[in-house]
Amino acid sequence: MRLPAMNTLRALEGVARRGSMTRAAQELNVTPSAVSHALRQLEHELGFQLTVREGKGIELTQAGRLYAEEVRKALAILAQAGAAAGE
């Protein structure tokens, strides 16, 4: 299996943590549209739905919550590896 693009993983993690595409976009310094596009791309690559959009709101599906938690762990490992390498 091919790994998803880092920007799509960061978008999912940001939405999961912040609860909003707008707040995730601000944190990532991109537009909400870019976050939405990244989430759709990730859903397409994975082959399952991560989010449910209702109007301007967004919610993670159960699969989205589980996947986002694993992505959060993986990103934390990468951050720790970078910190350890820089010591």
Coordinates of all heavy atoms in Angstrom, one line a residue:
M1 N 0.8 -1.2 0.0 CA 0.0 0.0 0.0 C 0.9 1.2 0.0 O 1.9 1.3 0.7 CB -0.9 0.0 1.2 CG -1.8 1.2 1.3 SD -2.8 1.1 2.8 CE -3.3 2.8 2.9
R2 N 0.5 2.2 -0.8 CA 1.2 3.5 -0.9 C 0.8 4.3 0.3 O -0.3 4.4 0.7 CB 0.8 4.1 -2.2 CG 1.7 5.3 -2.6 CD 1.3 5.9 -3.8 NE 0.8 7.2 -3.3 CZ 0.2 8.1 -4.1 NH1 -0.1 7.9 -5.3 NH2 -0.2 9.3 -3.6
L3 N 1.8 5.0 0.8 CA 1.5 5.9 2.0 C 0.8 7.2 1.5 O 1.2 7.7 0.4 CB 2.8 6.3 2.7 CG 3.5 5.2 3.5 CD1 4.8 5.8 4.0 CD2 2.7 4.7 4.6
P4 N -0.2 7.7 2.2 CA -0.8 8.9 1.8 C 0.1 10.1 2.0 O 1.1 10.1 2.7 CB -1.9 9.1 2.9 CG -2.2 7.7 3.4 CD -0.8 7.0 3.3
A5 N -0.1 11.2 1.2 CA 0.7 12.4 1.3 C 0.6 13.0 2.7 O -0.4 13.0 3.3 CB 0.2 13.4 0.3
M6 N 1.7 13.5 3.1 CA 1.8 14.1 4.5 C 0.8 15.2 4.7 O 0.2 15.3 5.8 CB 3.2 14.6 4.8 CG 3.4 15.2 6.1 SD 3.2 13.9 7.5 CE 4.8 13.1 7.3
N7 N 0.6 16.0 3.7 CA -0.4 17.2 3.8 C -1.8 16.6 4.1 O -2.6 17.3 4.8 CB -0.4 18.1 2.6 CG -0.9 17.5 1.4 OD1 -0.6 16.4 1.0 ND2 -1.7 18.3 0.7
T8 N -2.2 15.5 3.5 CA -3.5 14.9 3.8 C -3.6 14.4 5.2 O -4.6 14.6 5.8 CB -3.9 13.8 2.8 OG1 -3.0 12.7 2.9 CG2 -3.8 14.3 1.3
L9 N -2.5 13.8 5.7 CA -2.5 13.3 7.1 C -2.6 14.5 8.1 O -3.3 14.4 9.1 CB -1.3 12.4 7.3 CG -1.2 11.2 6.4 CD1 0.1 10.5 6.7 CD2 -2.4 10.3 6.7
R10 N -1.8 15.5 7.8 CA -1.8 16.7 8.7 C -3.2 17.4 8.7 O -3.7 17.8 9.7 CB -0.7 17.7 8.3 CG 0.7 17.1 8.6 CD 1.8 18.0 8.2 NE 1.7 19.2 9.0 CZ 1.9 20.5 8.6 NH1 2.2 20.7 7.3 NH2 1.8 21.5 9.4
A11 N -3.9 17.4 7.5 CA -5.2 18.0 7.5 C -6.2 17.2 8.3 O -6.9 17.8 9.1 CB -5.7 18.0 6.0
L12 N -6.1 15.9 8.2 CA -7.0 15.0 9.0 C -6.8 15.2 10.5 O -7.7 15.4 11.3 CB -6.9 13.6 8.6 CG -7.7 12.6 9.5 CD1 -9.2 12.8 9.3 CD2 -7.3 11.2 9.2
E13 N -5.5 15.2 10.8 CA -5.2 15.3 12.3 C -5.6 16.7 12.8 O -6.1 16.8 13.9 CB -3.6 15.1 12.4 CG -3.2 14.9 13.9 CD -3.1 16.2 14.7 OE1 -2.8 17.3 14.1 OE2 -3.3 16.2 15.9
G14 N -5.4 17.7 12.0 CA -5.8 19.1 12.4 C -7.3 19.2 12.6 O -7.8 19.8 13.6
V15 N -8.1 18.6 11.7 CA -9.5 18.7 11.8 C -10.0 17.9 13.0 O -10.9 18.3 13.7 CB -10.2 18.2 10.5 CG1 -11.7 17.9 10.7 CG2 -10.0 19.2 9.3
A16 N -9.4 16.7 13.2 CA -9.8 15.9 14.3 C -9.5 16.6 15.6 O -10.3 16.5 16.6 CB -9.0 14.5 14.3
R17 N -8.4 17.2 15.7 CA -8.0 17.9 17.0 C -8.8 19.2 17.2 O -9.2 19.5 18.3 CB -6.5 18.1 17.0 CG -5.9 18.6 18.3 CD -4.4 18.6 18.3 NE -3.8 18.8 17.0 CZ -3.6 19.9 16.4 NH1 -4.0 21.0 17.0 NH2 -3.0 20.0 15.2
R18 N -8.9 20.0 16.1 CA -9.5 21.3 16.2 C -11.0 21.3 16.0 O -11.7 22.3 16.4 CB -8.9 22.3 15.2 CG -7.4 22.4 15.3 CD -6.9 23.1 16.6 NE -7.5 24.4 16.7 CZ -6.8 25.5 16.7 NH1 -5.5 25.5 16.4 NH2 -7.4 26.7 16.8
G19 N -11.6 20.2 15.4 CA -13.0 20.1 15.2 C -13.6 21.0 14.1 O -14.8 21.2 14.0
S20 N -12.7 21.6 13.3 CA -13.2 22.5 12.3 C -12.2 22.6 11.1 O -10.9 22.6 11.4 CB -13.3 23.9 12.9 OG -13.2 24.9 12.0
M21 N -12.7 22.7 9.9 CA -11.8 22.8 8.8 C -11.1 24.2 8.8 O -10.0 24.4 8.5 CB -12.5 22.6 7.4 CG -12.6 21.2 7.1 SD -13.1 20.9 5.4 CE -14.8 21.3 5.4
T22 N -11.9 25.2 9.2 CA -11.4 26.6 9.3 C -10.2 26.7 10.3 O -9.2 27.2 9.9 CB -12.5 27.6 9.6 OG1 -13.5 27.5 8.6 CG2 -12.0 29.0 9.7
R23 N -10.4 26.1 11.4 CA -9.4 26.2 12.5 C -8.1 25.4 12.1 O -7.0 25.8 12.3 CB -9.9 25.8 13.8 CG -10.8 26.9 14.4 CD -11.2 26.7 15.8 NE -12.0 25.4 16.0 CZ -13.3 25.4 16.2 NH1 -13.9 26.5 16.3 NH2 -13.9 24.3 16.4
A24 N -8.4 24.2 11.5 CA -7.3 23.4 11.0 C -6.5 24.1 9.9 O -5.3 24.1 9.9 CB -7.8 22.1 10.5
A25 N -7.2 24.8 9.0 CA -6.6 25.6 7.9 C -5.7 26.7 8.5 O -4.6 26.9 8.0 CB -7.7 26.1 7.0
Q26 N -6.3 27.4 9.4 CA -5.5 28.5 10.1 C -4.2 27.9 10.7 O -3.1 28.5 10.5 CB -6.3 29.2 11.1 CG -7.4 30.0 10.6 CD -8.4 30.5 11.7 OE1 -8.5 29.9 12.8 NE2 -9.2 31.5 11.3
E27 N -4.3 26.8 11.3 CA -3.1 26.2 12.0 C -2.1 25.8 10.9 O -0.9 25.9 11.1 CB -3.6 25.0 12.8 CG -2.4 24.3 13.5 CD -3.0 23.2 14.4 OE1 -3.6 23.6 15.5 OE2 -2.8 22.1 14.1
L28 N -2.6 25.2 9.8 CA -1.7 24.7 8.7 C -1.3 25.8 7.7 O -0.5 25.5 6.8 CB -2.4 23.6 8.0 CG -2.7 22.3 8.8 CD1 -3.6 21.4 8.1 CD2 -1.4 21.7 9.3
N29 N -1.8 27.0 7.9 CA -1.5 28.1 7.0 C -1.9 27.9 5.6 O -1.2 28.1 4.7 CB -0.1 28.5 7.2 CG 0.2 30.0 6.7 OD1 -0.7 30.8 6.8 ND2 1.3 30.2 6.2
V30 N -3.1 27.3 5.4 CA -3.7 27.0 4.1 C -5.2 27.5 4.2 O -5.7 27.9 5.2 CB -3.6 25.5 3.7 CG1 -2.2 25.1 3.6 CG2 -4.4 24.6 4.7
T31 N -5.9 27.4 3.1 CA -7.3 27.7 3.0 C -8.1 26.5 3.5 O -7.7 25.4 3.4 CB -7.7 28.1 1.6 OG1 -7.6 27.0 0.8 CG2 -6.9 29.3 1.1
P32 N -9.3 26.8 4.0 CA -10.3 25.7 4.3 C -10.5 24.9 3.1 O -10.7 23.6 3.2 CB -11.5 26.5 4.8 CG -11.0 27.8 5.3 CD -9.9 28.1 4.4
S33 N -10.6 25.4 1.9 CA -10.8 24.7 0.7 C -9.6 23.7 0.5 O -9.9 22.5 0.1 CB -10.8 25.6 -0.5 OG -11.0 24.9 -1.7
A34 N -8.4 24.1 0.8 CA -7.3 23.1 0.7 C -7.4 22.0 1.7 O -7.1 20.8 1.3 CB -5.9 23.9 0.9
V35 N -7.9 22.3 2.9 CA -8.1 21.2 3.9 C -9.2 20.3 3.4 O -9.0 19.0 3.4 CB -8.5 21.8 5.2 CG1 -8.9 20.7 6.2 CG2 -7.3 22.6 5.8
S36 N -10.3 20.8 2.8 CA -11.3 20.0 2.3 C -10.9 19.1 1.2 O -11.2 17.9 1.1 CB -12.5 20.9 1.8 OG -13.5 20.1 1.2
H37 N -10.1 19.7 0.3 CA -9.5 18.9 -0.8 C -8.6 17.8 -0.3 O -8.7 16.7 -0.8 CB -8.8 19.8 -1.8 CG -8.2 19.1 -3.0 ND1 -8.9 18.7 -4.0 CD2 -6.9 18.8 -3.2 CE1 -8.1 18.1 -4.9 NE2 -6.9 18.1 -4.4
A38 N -7.8 18.1 0.6 CA -6.9 17.1 1.2 C -7.6 15.9 1.8 O -7.3 14.8 1.7 CB -5.9 17.7 2.2
L39 N -8.7 16.2 2.5 CA -9.5 15.2 3.2 C -10.2 14.3 2.1 O -10.2 13.1 2.2 CB -10.6 15.8 4.1 CG -10.1 16.5 5.4 CD1 -11.2 17.1 6.1 CD2 -9.3 15.5 6.2
R40 N -10.7 14.9 1.1 CA -11.3 14.1 0.0 C -10.3 13.3 -0.7 O -10.6 12.1 -1.0 CB -12.0 15.1 -1.0 CG -13.3 15.6 -0.5 CD -14.1 16.3 -1.5 NE -15.3 16.7 -0.9 CZ -15.9 17.9 -1.1 NH1 -15.4 18.7 -1.9 NH2 -17.0 18.2 -0.4
Q41 N -9.1 13.8 -0.9 CA -8.0 13.0 -1.5 C -7.7 11.8 -0.6 O -7.5 10.7 -1.1 CB -6.8 13.9 -1.7 CG -5.6 13.1 -2.3 CD -4.4 14.0 -2.5 OE1 -4.4 15.2 -2.4 NE2 -3.2 13.4 -2.7
L42 N -7.6 12.1 0.7 CA -7.2 11.0 1.6 C -8.3 9.9 1.6 O -8.0 8.7 1.6 CB -7.0 11.6 3.0 CG -6.6 10.6 4.1 CD1 -5.3 9.9 3.7 CD2 -6.4 11.3 5.4
E43 N -9.6 10.3 1.6 CA -10.7 9.4 1.6 C -10.6 8.5 0.3 O -10.8 7.3 0.3 CB -12.0 10.1 1.6 CG -12.3 10.7 3.0 CD -13.6 11.5 3.1 OE1 -14.0 12.1 2.0 OE2 -14.2 11.6 4.1
H44 N -10.3 9.2 -0.8 CA -10.2 8.5 -2.1 C -9.1 7.4 -2.1 O -9.2 6.3 -2.5 CB -10.0 9.5 -3.2 CG -9.8 8.8 -4.6 ND1 -10.9 8.2 -5.3 CD2 -8.7 8.6 -5.3 CE1 -10.4 7.7 -6.4 NE2 -9.1 7.9 -6.5
E45 N -7.9 7.9 -1.5 CA -6.8 6.9 -1.5 C -7.0 5.8 -0.5 O -6.7 4.6 -0.8 CB -5.5 7.7 -1.0 CG -4.9 8.6 -2.0 CD -3.7 9.4 -1.5 OE1 -3.1 8.9 -0.5 OE2 -3.4 10.4 -2.0
L46 N -7.7 6.0 0.6 CA -7.9 5.0 1.6 C -9.1 4.1 1.2 O -9.2 2.9 1.6 CB -8.2 5.6 3.0 CG -7.0 6.3 3.6 CD1 -7.5 7.0 4.9 CD2 -5.9 5.4 3.9
G47 N -10.1 4.6 0.5 CA -11.2 3.9 0.0 C -12.3 3.8 1.1 O -13.2 2.9 1.0
F48 N -12.3 4.7 2.1 CA -13.4 4.8 3.0 C -13.6 6.2 3.5 O -12.7 7.0 3.4 CB -13.2 3.8 4.2 CG -12.0 4.0 5.0 CD1 -11.9 4.9 6.1 CD2 -10.8 3.3 4.7 CE1 -10.8 5.1 6.8 CE2 -9.7 3.4 5.5 CZ -9.6 4.3 6.5
Q49 N -14.8 6.5 4.0 CA -15.2 7.8 4.4 C -14.6 8.1 5.8 O -14.8 7.4 6.7 CB -16.7 7.9 4.4 CG -17.2 9.3 4.5 CD -18.8 9.3 4.4 OE1 -19.4 8.3 4.2 NE2 -19.3 10.5 4.5
L50 N -14.0 9.3 5.8 CA -13.4 9.8 7.1 C -14.3 10.8 7.8 O -14.2 11.0 9.0 CB -12.0 10.4 6.8 CG -11.0 9.4 6.3 CD1 -9.8 10.2 5.8 CD2 -10.6 8.4 7.3
T51 N -15.1 11.5 7.0 CA -15.8 12.7 7.5 C -17.2 12.6 7.0 O -17.5 12.0 5.9 CB -15.2 14.0 7.1 OG1 -15.2 14.1 5.6 CG2 -13.8 14.1 7.6
V52 N -18.1 13.4 7.7 CA -19.4 13.7 7.2 C -19.6 15.2 7.3 O -19.3 15.8 8.3 CB -20.5 13.0 8.2 CG1 -21.9 13.4 7.8 CG2 -20.3 11.5 8.2
R53 N -19.9 15.7 6.2 CA -20.1 17.2 6.1 C -21.5 17.5 6.1 O -22.3 17.0 5.4 CB -19.4 17.7 4.8 CG -17.9 17.5 4.8 CD -17.4 17.8 3.4 NE -15.9 17.7 3.3 CZ -15.3 16.5 3.1 NH1 -15.9 15.4 2.9 NH2 -14.0 16.5 3.0
E54 N -21.9 18.5 7.0 CA -23.3 19.0 7.0 C -23.2 20.5 7.0 O -22.8 21.1 8.0 CB -23.9 18.4 8.3 CG -24.2 17.0 8.3 CD -25.1 16.5 9.4 OE1 -25.8 17.3 10.0 OE2 -25.0 15.3 9.7
G55 N -23.6 21.1 5.9 CA -23.5 22.5 5.8 C -22.1 22.9 5.9 O -21.2 22.4 5.1
K56 N -21.8 23.8 6.8 CA -20.4 24.3 7.0 C -19.7 23.5 8.0 O -18.5 23.6 8.3 CB -20.4 25.8 7.4 CG -20.8 26.7 6.3 CD -20.5 28.1 6.6 CE -20.9 29.0 5.4 NZ -20.3 30.3 5.6
G57 N -20.4 22.6 8.7 CA -19.8 21.7 9.8 C -19.2 20.5 9.2 O -19.5 20.0 8.1
I58 N -18.4 19.9 10.0 CA -17.7 18.6 9.6 C -17.6 17.7 10.9 O -17.4 18.2 12.0 CB -16.4 18.8 9.0 CG1 -15.8 17.5 8.4 CG2 -15.4 19.4 10.0 CD1 -14.7 17.7 7.5
E59 N -17.8 16.4 10.7 CA -17.7 15.5 11.8 C -16.9 14.3 11.3 O -17.0 13.9 10.1 CB -19.0 15.0 12.3 CG -19.5 15.6 13.5 CD -20.8 15.0 14.1 OE1 -20.7 13.8 14.4 OE2 -21.8 15.7 14.1
L60 N -16.1 13.7 12.1 CA -15.4 12.5 11.7 C -16.3 11.3 11.9 O -17.1 11.2 12.9 CB -14.1 12.3 12.6 CG -13.0 13.3 12.4 CD1 -11.9 13.0 13.3 CD2 -12.6 13.5 11.0
T61 N -16.2 10.4 11.0 CA -16.9 9.1 11.1 C -16.2 8.3 12.2 O -15.1 8.7 12.6 CB -16.9 8.3 9.8 OG1 -15.6 8.0 9.4 CG2 -17.6 9.1 8.7
Q62 N -16.7 7.2 12.6 CA -16.0 6.3 13.5 C -14.6 5.9 12.9 O -13.6 5.9 13.6 CB -16.8 5.1 13.9 CG -15.9 4.1 14.8 CD -16.7 3.5 15.9 OE1 -17.9 3.9 16.2 NE2 -16.1 2.6 16.6
A63 N -14.6 5.5 11.7 CA -13.4 5.1 11.0 C -12.4 6.3 10.9 O -11.2 6.1 11.1 CB -13.7 4.6 9.6
G64 N -13.0 7.5 10.7 CA -12.2 8.7 10.7 C -11.5 9.0 12.0 O -10.3 9.4 12.1
R65 N -12.3 8.8 13.1 CA -11.7 9.0 14.4 C -10.6 8.0 14.7 O -9.5 8.4 15.3 CB -12.8 8.9 15.5 CG -13.7 10.1 15.5 CD -14.6 10.1 16.8 NE -15.6 9.0 16.8 CZ -16.7 9.0 16.1 NH1 -17.1 10.0 15.4 NH2 -17.5 7.9 16.2
L66 N -10.8 6.8 14.4 CA -9.8 5.7 14.7 C -8.6 6.0 13.8 O -7.4 5.9 14.3 CB -10.4 4.3 14.3 CG -11.5 3.9 15.3 CD1 -12.1 2.6 14.7 CD2 -11.0 3.7 16.7
Y67 N -8.8 6.3 12.6 CA -7.6 6.6 11.7 C -6.9 7.8 12.1 O -5.6 7.8 12.2 CB -8.1 6.7 10.2 CG -6.9 6.7 9.2 CD1 -6.3 5.5 8.9 CD2 -6.5 7.9 8.6 CE1 -5.2 5.5 8.0 CE2 -5.5 7.9 7.7 CZ -4.8 6.7 7.4 OH -3.8 6.7 6.5
A68 N -7.6 8.9 12.5 CA -7.0 10.1 13.0 C -6.1 9.9 14.2 O -5.0 10.4 14.4 CB -8.0 11.2 13.2
E69 N -6.6 9.0 15.1 CA -5.8 8.7 16.3 C -4.5 8.0 16.0 O -3.5 8.3 16.6 CB -6.7 7.8 17.3 CG -5.9 7.5 18.6 CD -5.5 8.7 19.4 OE1 -6.3 9.7 19.4 OE2 -4.5 8.6 20.0
E70 N -4.5 7.1 15.0 CA -3.3 6.4 14.6 C -2.4 7.4 13.9 O -1.2 7.3 14.1 CB -3.6 5.2 13.7 CG -4.4 4.1 14.5 CD -3.7 3.6 15.7 OE1 -2.4 3.3 15.6 OE2 -4.3 3.5 16.8
V71 N -2.9 8.3 13.1 CA -2.1 9.3 12.4 C -1.5 10.2 13.4 O -0.3 10.5 13.3 CB -3.0 10.1 11.4 CG1 -2.3 11.4 11.0 CG2 -3.4 9.3 10.2
R72 N -2.2 10.6 14.5 CA -1.7 11.4 15.6 C -0.5 10.8 16.2 O 0.6 11.4 16.5 CB -2.7 11.8 16.6 CG -2.3 12.7 17.7 CD -3.4 13.1 18.7 NE -4.4 13.9 18.0 CZ -5.7 13.5 17.9 NH1 -6.1 12.4 18.5 NH2 -6.5 14.3 17.3
K73 N -0.6 9.5 16.5 CA 0.5 8.7 17.1 C 1.7 8.7 16.1 O 2.9 8.9 16.6 CB 0.1 7.3 17.4 CG -0.9 7.2 18.5 CD -1.4 5.7 18.7 CE -2.5 5.6 19.6 NZ -3.0 4.1 19.6
A74 N 1.5 8.5 14.9 CA 2.6 8.4 13.9 C 3.3 9.7 13.8 O 4.5 9.8 13.7 CB 2.0 7.9 12.5
L75 N 2.5 10.8 13.7 CA 3.1 12.2 13.7 C 3.9 12.5 14.9 O 5.0 13.1 14.8 CB 2.0 13.2 13.4 CG 1.3 13.2 12.1 CD1 0.2 14.2 12.0 CD2 2.3 13.3 10.9
A76 N 3.5 12.0 16.1 CA 4.2 12.2 17.3 C 5.5 11.5 17.3 O 6.6 12.0 17.7 CB 3.4 11.8 18.5
I77 N 5.5 10.3 16.7 CA 6.8 9.5 16.6 C 7.7 10.2 15.7 O 8.9 10.3 16.0 CB 6.5 8.1 16.1 CG1 5.8 7.3 17.2 CG2 7.7 7.3 15.6 CD1 5.2 5.9 16.7
L78 N 7.2 10.7 14.6 CA 8.1 11.5 13.6 C 8.7 12.7 14.3 O 9.9 13.0 14.1 CB 7.4 11.9 12.4 CG 7.0 10.7 11.5 CD1 6.1 11.2 10.3 CD2 8.2 10.0 10.9
A79 N 7.9 13.4 15.1 CA 8.4 14.6 15.8 C 9.4 14.2 16.8 O 10.5 14.9 16.9 CB 7.2 15.3 16.5
Q80 N 9.2 13.1 17.5 CA 10.2 12.7 18.5 C 11.5 12.3 17.8 O 12.6 12.5 18.3 CB 9.7 11.5 19.3 CG 8.6 11.9 20.3 CD 7.9 10.7 20.9 OE1 8.2 9.6 20.6 NE2 7.0 11.0 21.8
A81 N 11.4 11.6 16.7 CA 12.6 11.2 15.9 C 13.4 12.4 15.5 O 14.6 12.4 15.6 CB 12.2 10.4 14.7
G82 N 12.7 13.5 15.0 CA 13.4 14.7 14.6 C 14.1 15.4 15.8 O 15.2 15.8 15.7
A83 N 13.4 15.4 16.9 CA 14.0 16.0 18.1 C 15.2 15.2 18.6 O 16.3 15.8 18.9 CB 13.0 16.1 19.2
A84 N 15.1 13.9 18.6 CA 16.2 13.0 19.0 C 17.4 13.2 18.0 O 18.6 13.2 18.5 CB 15.8 11.6 19.1
A85 N 17.2 13.3 16.8 CA 18.3 13.4 15.8 C 19.0 14.8 15.9 O 20.1 14.9 15.6 CB 17.7 13.2 14.4
G86 N 18.2 15.8 16.4 CA 18.8 17.1 16.5 C 19.5 17.3 17.8 O 20.1 18.4 18.0
E87 N 19.6 16.4 18.7 CA 20.3 16.5 20.0 C 21.7 16.5 19.8 O 22.3 15.8 19.0 CB 19.8 15.5 21.0 CG 18.3 15.7 21.4 CD 17.8 14.7 22.4 OE1 18.5 13.7 22.6 OE2 16.8 14.9 22.9

